[in-house]
Amino acid sequence: MKAICVFCGANFNGDPILRQTVEQLAEIIVNRGISLIFGGGKVGVMGILADAVLNYGGKAIGVIPKFLMDKEVGHTGLTELHIVENMHQRKQLMNDLCDGIITLPGGFGTLEEFFEVLTWLQLGLHQHPVGLLNVNGFYDFLLQQMDIMVEQQFLKPTNRQLVLTSGDPIELIALMDNHKVIPDDVWFRDRNLT
């Protein structure tokens, strides 16, 4: 992977474990020569991650819609900052610029980004590995919900396996490096969920 898109929030809850994990992720990204693609803000987890990547001497490329420049306080010290028209263009460009996607803890916006690119993957619109960095068990219940979706036949087991998960950034990137993305599109053709 030459570029990793990281979905994360414009808020930070002050959790020292999350901060340490973000710093570790930044160090791994830079040491491997990977560019960071992210939402372009200088506040919250976005700002912590971008600043860490830049402090380690890496490349941080932001993508932010015009209307969020003030709300998320667009980061002006980045390697590159792309200003787009809307949220859809933001996600599309972030996806186009990357080779893999990691989602950190966040709120509605972070989950919306995660599920949209995951749906695109399931539909075969991209081939990027998608990972959840499950810091301190933050996504445990979400992962359980995905398992319920499989149990109740709303999600194919093969497509559930598209979500790579670890609480350790080193392990997650290794999983992403070694994962061959093969969504099961049978449901799309014949609606067979069994």
Side-chain angles (χ1 to χ4, degrees):
M1 291 181 289
K2 294 182 177 157
I4 292 178
C5 169
V6 178
F7 294 136
C8 52
N11 294 309
F12 174 59
N13 64 358
D15 179 7
I17 295 172
L18 177 57
R19 182 181 287 275
Q20 180 182 5
T21 304
V22 169
E23 290 276 342
Q24 186 181 21
L25 176 62
E27 185 176 10
I28 295 161
I29 286 172
V30 173
N31 287 344
R32 295 193 51 180
I34 297 171
S35 296
L36 168 68
I37 312 296
F38 81 112
K42 72 174 183 180
V43 295
V45 177
M46 276 195 282
I48 294 168
L49 177 61
D51 287 342
V53 166
L54 293 168
N55 289 340
Y56 284 120
K59 292 181 181 175
I61 300 165
V63 182
I64 192 167
K66 285 181 190 177
F67 79 94
L68 285 180
M69 277 296 289
D70 292 331
K71 288 184 183 186
E72 291 184 357
V73 194
H75 199 307
T76 56
L78 300 175
T79 311
E80 294 175 37
L81 180 62
H82 300 272
I83 300 173
V84 295
E85 291 297 319
N86 55 52
M87 296 294 280
H88 179 75
Q89 287 178 359
R90 180 194 221 180
K91 285 184 296 259
Q92 186 66 61
L93 183 55
M94 290 169 77
N95 188 65
D96 290 347
L97 293 173
C98 78
D99 306 302
I101 299 161
I102 292 176
T103 301
L104 289 169
F108 286 157
T110 302
L111 283 179
E112 185 272 335
E113 291 168 327
F114 167 72
F115 277 113
E116 182 148 8
V117 297
L118 185 58
T119 302
W120 292 349
L121 176 60
Q122 181 178 298
L123 293 172
L125 299 177
H126 70 81
Q127 295 284 307
H128 310 317
V130 174
L132 273 179
L133 190 50
N134 191 19
V135 180
N136 210 20
F138 183 84
Y139 284 118
D140 285 353
F141 291 117
L142 181 63
L143 294 163
Q144 287 177 25
Q145 182 60 50
M146 292 178 198
D147 294 336
I148 290 169
M149 291 173 183
V150 172
E151 288 169 18
Q152 296 195 12
Q153 300 182 342
F154 286 100
L155 180 64
K156 285 269 202 173
T158 303
N159 290 335
R160 167 64 180 89
Q161 292 168 9
L162 295 174
V163 181
L164 305 174
T165 309
S166 176
D168 177 5
I170 296 170
E171 181 181 37
L172 183 59
I173 289 177
L175 288 169
M176 293 170 71
D177 272 340
N178 296 315
H179 186 68
K180 182 152 175 63
V181 176
I182 306 174
D184 183 349
D185 65 355
V186 171
W187 66 273
F188 191 73
R189 290 194 312 264
D190 64 13
R191 296 180 182 255
N192 173 17
L193 291 172
T194 59

